[in-house]
Amino acid sequence: MSEAKIIDGNAFAAGLRDTLAEHVREIRDYNHVTPGLAVVLVGDDPASQVYVRNKNRRAVEIGMESFEHVLPSDITEQQLLTLIEGLNDDPAVHGILVQLPLPPHISSTKVIEAIHPDKDVDGFHPWNVGKLATGGKGMIPCTPLGCMMLLRDQLGELEGLKAVVLGRSNIVGKPMAQLLLRENCTVTIAHSRTRDVPAECRGADILVAAVGRAEMVRGDWIKPGATVIDVGMNRVTKPDGGRKLVGDVRFDEAVKVAGAITPVPGGVGPMTIAVLLRNTLLAACRQHRLKAPACDEWV
Ligand code: GUN
């Protein structure tokens, strides 16, 4: 059997960013609105620092304004809530993202609920979670939406396909399942208490792995010809002592069975930031009552 098609997330994300940049230029020139994204980082976790830097860099690249707030890890919950209140009231800020995880003394639930739902470009506020679940127009979480864009590009119509989502996190698994359901897939969420995870996976036309366990999904868990989306980003030590990034799927095995598969890195990863920029543009357009043709799909 021939090897799977490798889904190029870098290329897709670059195309999306180009479309967004054009639209940002238009609303800046004609409507005098510059979309603004505030990114808040608490503490000095190196991986989070890299993500936050990339989010800001990409926002500026497409002509947005970026406001970076880096706070010490001993900041109080109240100080963080006060900062968010200020960002909610700031008309130059259209999108607010607080990088997770937060230090243990700060309640991420309280922080997420403090962000105004219209500025919640992560789509984590209960109002946006409810909108997604009930088919309304809210803000859709970035990583699952990025996965859906790749799936639709790869497969076209998804109606009637069997989709298995591995993992039930609020950030990826649950919203991913909601989006697949909205596309009329038959959806299963498999998780740590599922009786026979490989058997569930073998039934999937679409398999989305989002468990955060390095190379857990083996080649013989995959239905021949299935589309595999690997959300995992696991840093592991190689036999020579070096470090490398691997997904939740054993790529060398899966590529021989699947019909199409996202690599790690270069699959889902670049899509997350591109969709964050898309959500920021959408938020800016909604707040200024402007049309957002670049964001018309997936609202
Ligand atoms: N940490 C890991 N993924 C995410 C994300 O999508 N949004 C935020 N805010 N924090 C994260």
Side-chain angles (χ1 to χ4, degrees):
M1 214 169 109
S2 62
E3 288 214 334
K5 182 191 162 192
I6 314 282
I7 298 172
D8 187 347
N10 279 319
F12 195 100
L16 177 56
R17 289 196 306 270
D18 284 347
T19 307
L20 296 172
E22 212 170 289
H23 197 90
V24 168
R25 207 175 312 122
E26 261 176 47
I27 66 166
R28 268 190 353 194
D29 291 352
Y30 294 109
N31 306 100
H32 311 290
V33 172
T34 302
L37 171 67
V39 181
V40 180
L41 172 63
V42 181
D44 49 15
D45 174 60
S48 293
Q49 280 174 335
V50 172
Y51 289 139
V52 166
R53 210 176 309 132
N54 285 337
K55 285 167 183 172
N56 283 311
R57 180 170 61 89
R58 291 296 192 195
V60 171
E61 265 174 20
I62 66 159
M64 293 183 169
E65 264 205 281
S66 164
F67 307 93
E68 195 176 318
H69 296 268
V70 180
L71 310 166
S73 57
D74 62 356
I75 189 177
T76 65
E77 185 178 89
Q78 191 50 53
Q79 282 172 307
L80 181 55
L81 293 173
T82 304
L83 170 69
I84 291 170
E85 257 174 57
L87 297 173
N88 281 339
D89 292 339
D90 184 345
V93 172
H94 302 100
I96 302 169
L97 178 143
V98 179
Q99 185 68 28
L100 302 176
L102 288 166
H105 68 282
I106 299 179
S107 156
S108 50
T109 304
K110 264 196 202 165
V111 169
I112 288 167
E113 292 183 7
I115 298 170
H116 193 289
D118 293 346
K119 295 193 176 186
D120 169 35
V121 283
D122 260 325
F124 294 164
H125 189 286
W127 193 89
N128 285 315
V129 175
K131 283 288 175 189
L132 179 59
T134 54
K137 289 184 196 300
M139 211 46 92
I140 301 172
C142 304
T143 300
L145 180 50
C147 295
M148 287 307 291
M149 288 178 176
L150 295 177
L151 279 170
R152 268 277 278 283
D153 185 58
Q154 178 61 33
L155 295 170
E157 184 59 59
L158 307 184
E159 181 167 315
L161 295 179
K162 285 194 177 165
V164 172
V165 179
L166 256 180
R168 53 175 158 178
S169 71
N170 291 335
I171 294 183
V172 183
K174 286 181 205 158
M176 188 74 224
Q178 292 287 0
L179 282 168
L180 289 159
L181 191 58
R182 247 170 62 161
E183 296 299 304
N184 297 315
C185 291
T186 302
V187 184
T188 302
I189 302 183
H191 48 78
S192 54
R193 307 295 167 91
T194 296
R195 291 245 169 89
D196 189 344
V197 175
E200 297 294 343
C201 293
R202 281 182 202 113
D205 302 307
I206 295 169
L207 178 60
V208 181
V211 275
R213 291 189 51 184
E215 301 182 318
M216 185 179 104
V217 176
R218 307 300 301 253
D220 65 357
W221 296 21
I222 294 166
K223 178 173 167 176
T227 302
V228 178
I229 303 290
D230 190 350
V231 184
M233 296 240 261
N234 310 289
R235 252 166 239 290
V236 296
T237 306
K238 291 188 289 186
D240 69 2
R243 306 273 284 165
K244 68 167 177 173
L245 195 64
V246 299
D248 290 349
V249 178
R250 181 75 185 258
F251 186 84
D252 59 336
E253 294 178 4
V255 77
K256 298 192 178 100
V257 188
I261 183 167
T262 58
V264 177
V268 174
M271 291 301 293
T272 298
I273 296 184
V275 174
L276 171 68
L277 304 177
R278 178 262 186 202
N279 282 356
T280 304
L281 173 60
L282 179 63
C285 288
R286 283 179 176 166
Q287 283 157 49
H288 289 273
R289 310 225 181 286
L290 300 172
K291 286 203 166 75
C295 316
D296 267 355
E297 246 203 322
W298 308 107
V299 288

